[in-house]
């Protein structure tokens, strides 16, 4: 039986440190277990000198340990000082492998076999997971490391980098400047790497700066007693065993997500979605009483949030009454609803009244409200208009609204209902105009928050899907039919998910359903002399396969998902019954099908000479674009005015690279943001700085960017850069007449505005410029145009 | 509708029609005008055309400023360029009518000649802008110039690797040919796509234009070698030929790129000279007439 503590904190990240420090401060017996030899692993892994921000700025910090925006080193030093000052009982290299027992009597087993007893457990292990180990004998040798802080620290060593991802490549190339570097790749190519890194490593291998072992697995690490190098790395290569004497081995094999470990403790996740978050009470307690979850693992990725939670959890365990740090912020949002009521009562009332939120636990709802806004629009005020590019979700707390679907159809919706789910789910423009009615109070929740909620609360997802289906059928096919009459069709409608390039149906298949594309986009192709030629591109909010419903049972074309796509497949039989009962429906379906056939014929004419421009564009990922810059090489004189104009209008950094990118026939796709329908860059932005909005639906980065670089990494098209903010200086006449200063629009013309961190920059479609994107406006020859995928077909004429 | 519209067809050729209209109207005015003296710049119509012409020159020259107005600026640059091109051509008619076909060795005709030079260089520019980009794209088969340079680098590395197994003289000539290949060079070299490459052969430096000298040498050696060595040499010749073709593409591309920018080096300075002589012309007319 090991030592016993009241509070066992697992994970010395911001949350865990803050919790342990608070426990120490209040003289509670505690231990902080950290699996690695250092605190704050995630922050340790940042590059040297990286500036770490303290978002959200409005949230006060509540922790015995200091934290304010600053360099990685300054923050780590403050935290070290904090744990010393508070005499935190911390154990390093204490990896937890199992937790058993119950509240008041937990038994925590460490991977070295030791056990520790604890009454309460605070789990703050983050989302990064532990680095994947080499998995061979000797993997714990002192010269084997799983991260690299500063490549310039090592000189004249023989170093083997293991891995084929971006981290491994970047490390290998950086180390190769001063060391003899080998890279070990399990496979025969660097398939996982970004294109830039792929070219980099291949160039380095070609030039001999890095030597590569392809198709090779490590077999053992051996220590040498008195050799020149501390160890020998045994490798099994396709041509046999190889022994490499090494000073250092750097394994960059990715991380093991922590979910498996967490589940083994008995903590439940609502579903298999990798983004889902365990259900927690308003006091951060998980489904196992006595185990609390804080920080990123509980869905709070920002440092300050985690630190506040660490503090609060200790207060809850000690049964001290403490209001969450965000209390005042929430009060400011909701108390206008009824100033006489307490905040918690208002929140409770909201959940009571709005059924879609009734299955959400109190903590999640609190978080949701922190990010939501309460609006009290006057009667007649437009909440959002049809074709707006907003995508937030609205619920009605009181009063009612009018939803104007088209000129002849307006539906009223009242307390407890919701609207805006169409754009939320499809990422497309608003499909109706919503006008406030009497005494209207609505809650607006951002898309990101709702998506998080959908991933973690199944009931929310179910309700949204059901409503989406029936409202889609009404809007798209039977606008004048009451929702009740559509129920039979809706019930038979299925939601399908397709991976990029997956076939939805094939030419010649028997067709029994229509697919309405709810998100993503598809290509329609036919077989021309044995190969598939793309005939048309169909974006979200439209349907394919309507011919199947009109009695044509054999599919005339193959439909593939261009990107990750979700469709509603509407069953033919029940739809036919509907067509019999709704006047004009059959005719309008027939018209839609005729239009599609006509378009296919005209595309076929232009594609018959083997020109597959549409296929090329879709192959370049433009299927998920909403607006892309295309350059006609027959017109481009390479003057680079597009780049200069971009730099001049965007603080001195051009967000497009004209030369880079592929060309097909005369169409060139420069490296520039395509404003994806469901942008990968928006998936993991801790301060929620990347937004989509405005009439053009542009994706832009706000001023609250913390420079973490996630969006840059997540963008598959390399259009986001990290750059210092600078100011463009304009001195045309001086430059022209006297040659003073820099040419307007050139990079050197920009001067730093004193900001010291690199932040993410990307095309914002000149959101704040009159007259549209500067790149297109500045093109002297008409070579640059911004095109929406719906218009791709026109490029072929 | 095609997505891309060139400056010539911008707005369905709106400025072409405006320019044609301006040219026809001024011609009609000239034909039906019955001045008391022979037609010249000093008649009422002459003054009118002269004033319009002078304003147009200043407005046309303003394009240089307008196209760098990245932040604000009325209309699109391509619209301005379209108007610049067509109205610039119309200016030729207006200014010629303004002269009343009276020319002489004086400041007035100098201004006219300079203007004609500017317009002609501009027309050359239009032709270059409309033909070379497509030709360059065709030449490079949709690759970028950087891609082709990279390809040359790869081919060089491959040749050097192969050369290590070849006889010494072949190794030497390959090394020398690769090392002393020159692309680009001074502006004139670029415009004329001149090839200054040399190769060192038996201690003498000889011109290696189009890599021909080195290729000839390799072909000559192919008659002497046998067996594996010959096979290797054949491979080397094949790859060397690819390299020759790539270099020629690069040179042609650089030439076309240089030509698309060279005309501006005439167009702009002569514009300044034109404006200076225009001021002198106007000054002379009002002070000394």
């Amino acid at each position: 039986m090991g030592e016993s503590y009241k509070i066992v904190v697992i994970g010395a990240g911001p949350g865990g440190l803050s919790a342990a420090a608070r426990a120490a401060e209040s003289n509670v017996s505690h231990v902080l277990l950290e699996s690695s030899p250092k605190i704050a692993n995630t922050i340790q892994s940042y590059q040297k000198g990286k500036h770490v921000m303290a978002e959200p700025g409005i949230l006060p910090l509540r922790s015995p340990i200091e934290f304010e925006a600053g360099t990685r080193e300054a923050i780590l030093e403050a935290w070290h000082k904090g744990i010393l000052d508070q005499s935190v009982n911390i154990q390093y290299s204490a990896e937890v492998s199992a937790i058993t027992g119950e509240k008041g009597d937990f038994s925590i087993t460490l991977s070295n076999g030791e056990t520790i007893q604890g009454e309460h457990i605070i789990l703050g292990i983050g989302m990064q997971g532990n680095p994947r180990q080499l998995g061979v004998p000797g993997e714990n040798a002192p010269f084997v490391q799983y991260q690299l802080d500063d490549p310039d620290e090592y000189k004249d060593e023989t170093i083997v980098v293991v891995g084929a991802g971006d981290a491994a490549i970047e490390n290998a190339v950086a180390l190769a400047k001063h060391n003899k570097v080998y890279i070990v790749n399990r496979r025969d190519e660097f398939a996982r790497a970004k294109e830039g890194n792929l070219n980099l490593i291949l160039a380095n291998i070609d030039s001999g700066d890095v030597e590569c072992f392809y198709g090779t697995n490590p077999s053992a690490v051996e220590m040498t007693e008195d050799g020149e190098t501390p160890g020998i790395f045994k490798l099994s290569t396709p041509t046999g065993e190889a022994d490499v004497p090494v000073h250092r081995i750097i394994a960059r094999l990715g991380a093991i997500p922590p979910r498996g470990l967490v589940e083994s403790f008995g903590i439940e996740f609502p579903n298999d979605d990798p983004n889902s978050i365990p259900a927690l009470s308003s006091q951060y307690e998980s489904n196992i009483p006595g185990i609390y979850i804080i920080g990123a693992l509980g869905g709070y990725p920002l440092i300050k949030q985690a630190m506040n939670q660490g503090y609060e959890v200790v207060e809850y365990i000690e049964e001290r009454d403490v209001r969450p740090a965000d209390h005042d912020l929430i009060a400011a949002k909701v108390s206008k609803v009824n100033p006489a009521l307490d905040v918690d009562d208002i929140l409770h009332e909201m959940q009571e009244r709005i059924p879609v939120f009734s299955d959400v636990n109190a903590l999640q709802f609190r978080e949701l409200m922190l990010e939501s806004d309460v609006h009290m629009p006057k009667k007649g005020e437009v909440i959002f208009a049809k074709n707006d590019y907003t995508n937030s979700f609205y619920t009605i707390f009181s009063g009612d609204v009018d939803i104007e679907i088209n000129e002849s159809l307006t539906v009223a919706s009242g307390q407890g209902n919701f609207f805006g789910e169409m754009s939320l789910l499809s990422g497309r423009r608003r499909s109706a105009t919503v006008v406030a009615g009497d005494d209207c109070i609505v809650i607006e929740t951002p898309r990101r928050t709702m998506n998080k909620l959908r991933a973690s609360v199944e009931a929310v997802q179910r309700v949204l899907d059901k409503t989406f289906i029936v409202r889609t059928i009404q809007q798209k096919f039977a606008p004048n039919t009451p929702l009740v009459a559509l129920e039979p069709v809706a019930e038979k409608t299925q939601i399908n998910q397709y991976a990029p390039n997956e076939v939805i149906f094939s030419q010649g298949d028997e067709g029994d359903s229509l697919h309405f594309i709810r998100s993503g986009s598809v290509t329609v192709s036919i077989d021309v002399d044995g190969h598939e030629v793309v005939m048309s591109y169909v974006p979200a909010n439209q349907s394919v396969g309507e011919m199947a419903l009109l009695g044509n049972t054999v599919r005339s074309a193959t439909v593939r998902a261009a990107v990750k796509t979700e469709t509603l497949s509407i069953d033919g039989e029940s739809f036919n019954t509907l067509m019999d009962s709704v006047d004009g429906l059959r005719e309008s379906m027939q018209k839609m099908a005729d239009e599609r056939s006509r378009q296919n014929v005209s595309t076929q004419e232009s594609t018959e000479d083997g020109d597959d421009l549409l296929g090329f564009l879709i192959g370049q990922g433009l299927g998920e674009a909403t607006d892309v810059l295309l350059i006609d090489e027959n017109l481009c004189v390479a003057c680079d005015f597009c780049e200069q104009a971009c730099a001049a209008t965007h603080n001195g950094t051009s967000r497009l690279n004209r030369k880079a990118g592929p060309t097909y026939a005369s169409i060139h796709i420069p490296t520039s943001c395509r404003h994806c329908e469901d942008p990968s860059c928006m998936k993991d932005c801790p301060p929620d700085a990347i937004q989509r909005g405005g009439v053009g639906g542009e994706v832009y980065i706000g001023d609250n960017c913390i420079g973490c670089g996630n969006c840059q990494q997540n963008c598959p098209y390399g259009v986001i850069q990290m750059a210092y903010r600078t100011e463009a200086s304009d001195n045309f006449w001086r430059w022209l007449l006297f040659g003073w200063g820099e040419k307007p629009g050139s990079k050197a013309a920009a001067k730093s505005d004193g900001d010291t961190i690199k932040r993410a920059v990307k095309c914002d479609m000149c959101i704040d410029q009159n007259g549209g994107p500067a790149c297109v406006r500045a093109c002297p020859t008409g070579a640059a145009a911004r095109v929406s995928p719906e218009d791709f077909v026109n490029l072929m004429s | 509708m095609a997505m891309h519209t060139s400056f010539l067809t911008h707005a369905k050729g709106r400025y072409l029609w405006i320019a044609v209209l301006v040219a026809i109207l001024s011609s009609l005015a000239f034909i039906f005008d019955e001045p008391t003296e022979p037609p010249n710049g000093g008649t009422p119509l002459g003054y009118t055309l002269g004033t319009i012409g002078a304003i147009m020159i200043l407005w046309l020259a303003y394009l240089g400023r307008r196209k760098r107005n990245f932040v604000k600026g009325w209309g699109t640059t391509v619209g301005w360029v379209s108007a610049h091109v067509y109205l610039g051509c119309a200016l030729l008619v207006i200014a010629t009518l303004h002269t009343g076909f009276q020319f002489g060795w004086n400041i007035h005709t100098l201004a006219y000649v300079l203007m004609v030079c500017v317009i002609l260089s501009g027309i050359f520019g239009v032709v270059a802008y409309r033909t070379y980009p497509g030709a360059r794209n065709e030449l490079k088969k949709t690759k970028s110039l950087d891609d082709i340079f990279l390809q040359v680098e790869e081919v060089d590395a491959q040749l050097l690797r192969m050369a290590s197994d070849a006889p010494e003289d072949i190794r030497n000539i390959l090394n020398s040919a690769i090392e002393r290949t020159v692309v680009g060079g001074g502006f004139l070299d670029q415009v004329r796509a001149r090839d200054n490459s040399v190769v060192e052969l038996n201690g003498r430096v000889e011109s290696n234009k189009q890599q021909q000298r080195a290729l000839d040498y390799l072909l000559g050696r192919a008659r002497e070698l046998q067996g594996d060595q010959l096979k290797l040499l054949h491979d080397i010749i094949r790859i060397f030929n690819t390299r020759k073709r790539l270099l020629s593409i690069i040179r042609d591309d650089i030439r076309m790129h240089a030509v698309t920018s060279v005309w501006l080096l005439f167009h702009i300075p002569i514009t300044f000279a034109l404006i200076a002589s225009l001021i002198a012309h106007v000054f002379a007319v009002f002070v000394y007439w």
Side-chain angles (χ1 to χ4, degrees):
Chain A
M1 184 72 46
E3 283 190 72
S4 180
Y5 302 95
K6 180 160 187 192
I7 295 178
V8 177
V9 186
I10 302 173
L17 287 170
S18 178
R22 179 61 186 158
E25 193 180 45
S26 1
N27 289 317
V28 179
S29 80
H30 70 280
V31 64
L32 171 58
L33 305 174
E34 167 57 42
S35 67
S36 77
K38 289 173 179 171
I39 61 161
N41 246 319
T42 305
I43 292 161
Q44 297 275 7
S45 69
Y46 291 168
Q47 80 213 27
K48 235 177 162 180
K50 180 177 164 89
H51 187 93
V52 179
M53 310 268 293
E55 291 290 322
I58 45 166
L59 190 68
L61 175 72
R62 188 191 265 169
S63 172
I65 293 183
E66 280 178 37
F67 171 60
E68 58 186 34
T71 61
R72 160 186 177 269
E73 287 71 20
I75 286 167
L76 289 173
E77 198 191 307
W79 289 354
H80 272 293
K81 188 170 167 294
I83 55 178
L84 280 181
D85 287 353
Q86 302 294 347
S87 315
V88 170
N89 177 25
I90 180 165
Q91 281 189 27
Y92 291 107
S93 304
E95 192 182 339
V96 174
S97 57
I99 296 176
T100 52
E102 56 184 6
K103 187 170 184 169
D105 184 24
F106 285 111
S107 174
I108 298 121
T109 312
L110 303 185
S111 54
N112 63 7
E114 203 181 314
T115 59
I116 289 171
Q117 305 303 121
E119 291 173 33
H120 304 270
I121 293 174
I122 300 174
L123 207 51
I125 59 174
M127 288 293 275
Q128 297 258 317
N130 287 324
R132 213 177 282 278
Q133 309 250 317
L134 279 175
V136 299
E139 64 180 11
N140 292 321
F143 53 85
V144 178
Q145 60 192 60
Y146 295 92
Q147 69 180 63
L148 176 65
D149 288 345
D150 179 10
D152 294 334
E153 212 175 298
Y154 309 111
K155 289 204 166 68
D156 304 322
E157 292 194 351
T158 302
I159 302 176
V160 180
V161 178
V162 187
D166 291 309
I169 292 173
E170 282 162 19
N171 286 176
V173 171
L175 286 166
K177 272 185 241 161
H178 304 296
N179 303 283
K180 170 79 200 141
V181 176
Y182 297 89
I183 187 162
V184 172
N185 183 351
R186 228 174 277 252
R187 302 213 232 153
D188 292 331
E189 51 182 333
F190 288 88
R192 278 189 297 129
K194 280 197 274 199
E195 202 185 329
N197 278 332
L198 177 67
N199 294 338
L200 196 65
I201 189 71
L202 292 181
N204 270 268
I205 292 172
D206 251 10
S207 67
D209 288 340
V210 173
E211 217 165 296
C212 182
F213 288 102
Y214 286 106
T216 297
N217 283 305
S219 51
V221 179
E222 284 178 3
M223 313 274 262
T224 44
E225 288 301 316
D226 46 0
E228 259 183 53
T229 59
I232 288 177
F233 197 8
K234 290 186 168 298
L235 300 171
S236 99
T237 73
T239 52
E241 295 291 314
D243 289 358
V244 184
V246 289
H247 292 95
R248 201 168 296 286
I249 296 170
I250 297 175
R252 301 307 301 260
L253 303 165
I256 305 165
R259 177 164 170 166
L261 179 71
V262 174
E263 281 178 326
S264 76
F265 301 157
I267 289 163
E268 288 164 6
F269 285 76
N271 54 43
D272 287 340
D273 187 327
N275 298 319
S276 71
I277 292 156
L280 303 177
S281 75
S282 64
Q283 303 198 330
Y284 313 114
E285 198 167 11
S286 69
N287 61 305
I288 299 184
I291 300 188
Y292 300 82
I293 295 178
I294 57 173
L297 184 63
Y300 299 85
L302 295 172
I303 296 173
K304 210 195 278 177
Q305 291 172 332
M307 292 182 76
N308 286 348
Q309 291 175 351
Y311 177 98
E312 286 157 18
V313 165
V314 172
E315 299 300 287
Y316 295 143
I317 293 172
E318 286 296 291
E319 293 176 352
R320 282 192 286 259
D321 192 22
V322 61
R323 292 191 155 209
D326 56 23
H327 180 85
D328 292 345
L329 296 173
I330 293 196
K333 288 187 187 216
V334 303
S335 47
K336 61 182 167 189
V337 169
N338 186 350
L341 279 180
D342 184 66
V343 169
D344 287 337
D345 293 336
I346 297 175
L347 292 181
H348 188 70
E349 175 81 24
M350 285 176 165
Q351 284 200 271
E352 290 266 285
R353 283 202 201 174
I354 303 169
V356 67
F357 291 143
S358 59
D359 281 334
V360 177
N361 74 47
L363 181 65
Q364 278 172 322
F365 189 66
R366 205 184 168 85
E367 173 72 8
L368 178 125
M369 283 311 300
L370 191 60
E371 290 174 27
S372 303
D373 281 310
V374 177
H375 301 286
M376 303 170 78
K378 291 194 194 71
K379 187 178 166 64
E381 199 174 304
V382 173
I383 297 174
F384 59 70
K386 193 169 183 163
N387 290 334
D388 275 1
Y389 250 110
T390 53
N391 50 26
S392 50
F393 176 74
Y394 288 83
T395 40
I396 307 172
F397 177 68
S398 72
D400 46 48
V401 299
D402 284 334
I403 302 172
E404 298 171 6
I405 294 164
N406 59 33
E407 279 164 14
S408 59
L409 183 71
T410 299
V411 188
S413 190
Q415 179 179 317
N417 282 337
F418 55 84
F419 54 93
E421 80 289 346
M422 303 280 266
S423 293
L424 171 80
L425 295 175
S426 70
R428 291 254 148 186
R429 301 180 192 207
R430 295 294 188 192
S431 54
T433 297
V434 179
V435 179
D438 288 321
D439 305 323
C440 183
I441 300 179
V442 294
I443 302 169
E444 178 185 8
T445 308
R447 182 172 194 222
R448 192 182 81 115
T449 313
M450 276 312 289
N451 282 345
K452 213 158 88 181
L453 195 66
R454 278 168 59 205
S456 32
V457 185
E458 215 165 326
V460 172
Q461 173 76 7
R462 218 173 29 238
V463 173
L464 288 179
D465 278 344
K466 200 169 156 236
T467 314
F468 185 90
I469 290 171
V470 68
R471 287 192 186 165
T472 301
I473 295 172
Q474 183 188 48
Q475 260 185 32
K476 291 290 155 188
F477 308 111
N480 300 316
T481 313
L483 290 174
V484 196
L486 301 173
E487 293 282 337
V489 186
E491 241 149 64
K492 287 219 161 177
T493 300
Q494 285 178 340
I495 296 175
N496 316 286
Q497 273 149 353
Y498 300 96
N501 230 8
E502 191 175 337
V503 173
I504 295 172
F505 54 75
S506 300
Q507 188 171 349
D509 280 3
E510 198 165 309
D512 55 359
S513 60
L514 169 151
H515 284 262
F516 173 80
I517 305 157
R518 138 158 135 171
S519 69
S521 55
V522 303
T523 56
V524 179
S525 50
I526 57 158
D527 186 277
V528 176
D529 305 331
H531 67 265
E532 237 178 87
V533 171
V534 179
M535 305 298 293
S536 63
Y537 161 87
V538 186
N541 231 357
Q542 293 194 29
S543 50
V544 287
E546 50 287 275
M547 292 175 196
L549 300 186
L550 295 163
N552 236 339
T553 53
V554 175
R555 301 288 193 191
S556 61
T558 299
V559 171
R560 272 176 199 277
V563 292
K564 197 170 151 232
T565 298
E566 270 189 346
T567 69
L568 307 181
S569 53
I570 299 173
D571 161 68
E573 212 180 291
S574 57
F575 199 81
N576 261 302
T577 322
L578 183 71
M579 282 198 287
D580 290 338
S581 62
V582 178
D583 279 350
L585 180 55
R586 193 175 290 277
E587 290 71 29
S588 72
M589 293 303 293
Q590 187 67 53
K591 222 172 120 189
M592 202 191 289
D594 288 350
E595 180 55 35
R596 174 71 41 76
S597 317
R598 233 193 328 272
Q599 196 187 39
N600 284 354
V601 170
S602 77
T603 318
Q604 192 166 9
E605 282 166 8
S606 59
T607 51
E608 260 166 5
D609 50 355
D611 182 14
D612 190 15
L613 180 61
L614 196 53
F616 161 74
L617 294 171
I618 300 298
Q620 291 301 321
L622 295 188
E624 62 178 322
T626 60
D627 187 292
V628 59
L629 179 64
L630 294 181
I631 291 179
D632 184 346
E633 290 283 18
N634 286 335
L635 291 172
C636 176
V637 294
C639 65
D640 277 335
F641 267 39
C642 44
E643 286 188 21
Q644 288 177 29
C646 187
T649 46
H650 293 92
N651 302 317
T653 306
S654 171
R655 283 102 197 268
L656 77 101
N657 184 339
R658 179 190 58 79
K659 268 194 205 168
T663 307
Y664 183 88
S666 66
I667 298 297
H668 176 65
I669 311 173
T671 303
S672 168
C673 180
R674 306 111 178 264
H675 302 274
C676 298
E677 204 175 278
D678 187 12
S680 302
C681 58
M682 278 171 67
K683 279 182 190 140
D684 187 15
C685 176
D688 208 6
I690 299 200
Q691 296 285 345
R692 154 157 249 167
V695 280
E698 58 282 326
V699 179
Y700 63 95
I701 299 173
D703 286 340
N704 52 337
C705 170
I706 58 173
C708 68
N710 284 357
C711 52
Q712 185 195 24
Q713 278 164 17
N714 286 338
C715 172
Y717 308 112
V719 303
I720 301 182
Q721 319 161 44
M722 306 303 292
Y724 291 111
R725 287 209 180 156
T726 49
E727 269 173 47
S729 54
D730 190 5
N731 45 18
F732 176 80
W733 293 113
R734 270 195 304 158
W735 164 73
L736 183 82
L737 297 177
F738 310 109
W740 289 345
E742 298 291 338
K743 194 169 166 180
S746 75
K747 198 158 188 165
K751 54 184 190 295
S752 166
D753 67 354
D755 202 349
T756 50
I757 66 158
K758 280 190 173 180
R759 300 185 204 228
V761 296
K762 65 177 284 300
C763 166
D764 58 3
M765 290 256 278
C766 292
I767 185 170
D768 45 10
Q769 308 279 326
N770 291 328
C775 50
V776 175
R777 267 189 301 135
C779 178
T781 62
R786 295 209 73 110
V787 182
S788 163
E790 288 91 314
D791 300 326
F792 283 168
V793 175
N794 297 333
L795 281 170
M796 308 208 277
S797 51
Chain B
M1 189 198 84
M3 283 297 115
H4 296 93
T5 314
S6 90
F7 57 96
L8 292 182
T9 48
H10 177 77
K12 297 181 182 147
R14 178 196 300 159
Y15 297 104
L16 170 64
W17 298 115
I18 293 177
V20 168
L21 196 68
V22 167
I24 290 175
L25 284 180
S26 37
S27 301
L28 288 178
F30 187 83
I31 291 165
F32 293 107
D33 186 36
E34 286 174 359
T36 49
E37 49 187 319
N40 70 72
T43 67
L45 180 67
Y47 271 128
T48 311
L49 290 173
T51 310
I52 293 173
I55 292 171
M56 278 176 78
I57 287 172
L58 295 177
W59 174 81
L60 288 163
Y62 182 71
L63 178 72
R65 175 74 189 104
R66 167 59 187 82
K67 65 176 183 174
R68 290 186 175 83
N69 276 349
F70 298 128
V71 182
K72 41 188 190 284
W74 186 63
T76 59
T77 307
V78 65
W80 274 73
V81 170
S82 185
H84 179 91
V85 166
Y86 288 122
L87 294 178
C89 292
L91 176 65
L92 198 57
V93 177
I94 293 172
T96 308
L97 297 176
H98 166 67
T99 64
F101 303 98
Q102 292 188 6
F103 301 104
W105 295 101
N106 53 38
I107 182 75
H108 314 294
T109 301
L110 174 67
Y112 179 79
V113 170
L114 286 172
M115 185 205 74
V116 171
C117 290
V118 172
I119 294 173
L120 290 180
S121 66
I123 291 172
F124 178 84
V126 169
V127 174
Y129 269 31
R130 279 308 282 121
T131 50
Y132 281 148
R136 290 178 67 195
N137 190 39
E138 186 75 10
L139 175 73
K140 290 179 291 183
K141 301 273 179 281
T142 75
K143 285 197 191 69
S144 75
L145 188 58
D146 290 349
D147 287 342
I148 298 178
F149 269 115
L150 270 180
Q151 264 184 305
V152 172
E153 262 175 49
E154 276 164 26
V155 167
D156 285 355
Q158 197 182 354
L159 280 171
L160 292 178
R161 271 198 302 275
M162 295 167 86
S164 61
D165 296 331
E168 198 186 346
D169 61 320
I170 291 179
R171 198 157 61 231
N172 286 343
I173 193 163
L174 283 176
N175 265 319
S176 161
I178 288 172
E179 198 165 304
R180 307 187 73 164
T181 294
V182 180
V183 285
F187 196 77
L188 282 178
D189 294 330
Q190 290 189 26
V191 172
R192 292 158 56 199
R194 196 161 69 188
D195 186 349
N196 291 326
S197 303
V198 290
V199 64
E200 195 178 320
L201 204 59
N202 306 324
R204 282 212 325 275
V205 176
E206 295 184 28
S207 162
N208 192 24
K209 205 164 158 182
Q210 297 295 337
Q211 302 295 309
Q212 203 54 52
R213 186 69 194 88
L215 192 60
D216 287 345
Y217 183 86
L218 293 176
L219 288 169
R221 289 287 276 134
R223 285 189 286 275
E224 297 158 22
L225 293 177
Q226 279 172 352
D228 280 352
Q229 292 278 18
L230 181 61
K231 206 164 151 279
L232 176 67
L233 183 59
H234 276 150
D235 285 344
I236 288 177
I237 290 173
R238 187 171 47 78
I239 292 167
F240 196 80
N241 216 15
T242 306
R243 181 172 184 275
K244 170 183 149 96
R245 189 172 49 79
L246 291 172
L247 287 171
S248 142
I249 291 175
I250 289 176
R251 261 188 214 97
D252 251 9
D253 191 61
I254 291 178
R255 176 180 66 79
M256 289 194 268
H257 181 247
V259 173
T260 31
S261 36
V262 68
W263 66 275
L264 274 172
L265 298 180
F266 294 95
H267 195 68
I268 309 280
I270 308 175
T271 301
F272 278 97
L274 164 62
I275 291 172
S277 66
L278 184 67
I279 292 168
H281 159 68
V282 173
F283 189 71
V285 167
F286 285 103
V287 174
Y288 298 109
W289 209 252

